[in-house]
C-alpha cells in the first residue's frame, strides 16, 4: 500500500512538472505590453541594437537596446522604419 501511494505521488509529480515545463523555459526574447510602447523618436546614434519580440507575444514590437537599458517600440513607427532604411538592416519578421 505504501509503495503504491509513493508511486502515485511520484507519477503525479512527474505529470505536473511536465505540464509546467513550458513556463519554466526561457523564450528567445521578452514581450512588450502595448501600454509600454515608446512613441518618441530615438536618435539613431543612441540605438545600440534591436531585437524583435517573439511571434507568440500578443503585441508585435521591437526591443531597442540603448546605453542605459532598453525600450519597446512599434516596428511600424515611421522613425524606426527610417532608421532601418538608413542602417540597411532588415525589418523584423515573425518567427
Amino acid at each position: 500500500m505504501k509503495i503504491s501511494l509513493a508511486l502515485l505521488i511520484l507519477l503525479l509529480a512527474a505529470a505536473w512538472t511536465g505540464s509546467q515545463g513550458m513556463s519554466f523555459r526561457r523564450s528567445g526574447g521578452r514581450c512588450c505590453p502595448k501600454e509600454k510602447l515608446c512613441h518618441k523618436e530615438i536618435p539613431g546614434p543612441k540605438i545600440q541594437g534591436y531585437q524583435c519580440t517573439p511571434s507568440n507575444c500578443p503585441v508585435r514590437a521591437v526591443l531597442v537596446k540603448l546605453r542605459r537599458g532598453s525600450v519597446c517600440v512599434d516596428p511600424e513607427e515611421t522613425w524606426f522604419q527610417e532608421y532601418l532604411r538608413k542602417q540597411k538592416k532588415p525589418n523584423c519578421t515573425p518567427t
Side-chain angles (χ1 to χ4, degrees):
M1 180 72 172
K2 287 183 181 182
I3 292 175
S4 59
L5 181 60
L7 286 174
L8 178 63
I9 290 172
L10 185 61
L11 184 62
L12 289 172
W16 181 80
T17 303
S19 69
Q20 296 297 315
M22 286 300 285
S23 64
F24 294 124
R25 292 187 197 134
R26 186 175 173 156
S27 63
R30 72 173 214 234
C31 295
C32 295
K34 189 173 186 172
E35 56 275 357
K36 295 284 184 181
L37 291 178
C38 175
H39 297 286
K40 291 192 322 185
E41 182 174 347
I42 300 169
K46 289 190 175 189
I47 298 175
Q48 294 190 333
Y50 68 92
Q51 179 182 12
C52 303
T53 56
S55 59
N56 62 343
C57 291
V59 175
R60 188 167 169 245
V62 177
L63 196 59
V64 176
K65 185 174 188 262
L66 306 171
R67 288 184 191 155
R68 296 183 182 185
S70 56
V71 294
C72 295
V73 173
D74 180 347
E76 299 302 319
E77 287 277 349
T78 306
W79 69 264
F80 186 71
Q81 290 295 318
E82 188 62 32
Y83 167 78
L84 291 176
R85 274 191 287 280
K86 285 180 182 175
Q87 300 299 314
K88 296 185 180 166
K89 293 183 180 180
N91 199 351
C92 292
T93 54
T95 56

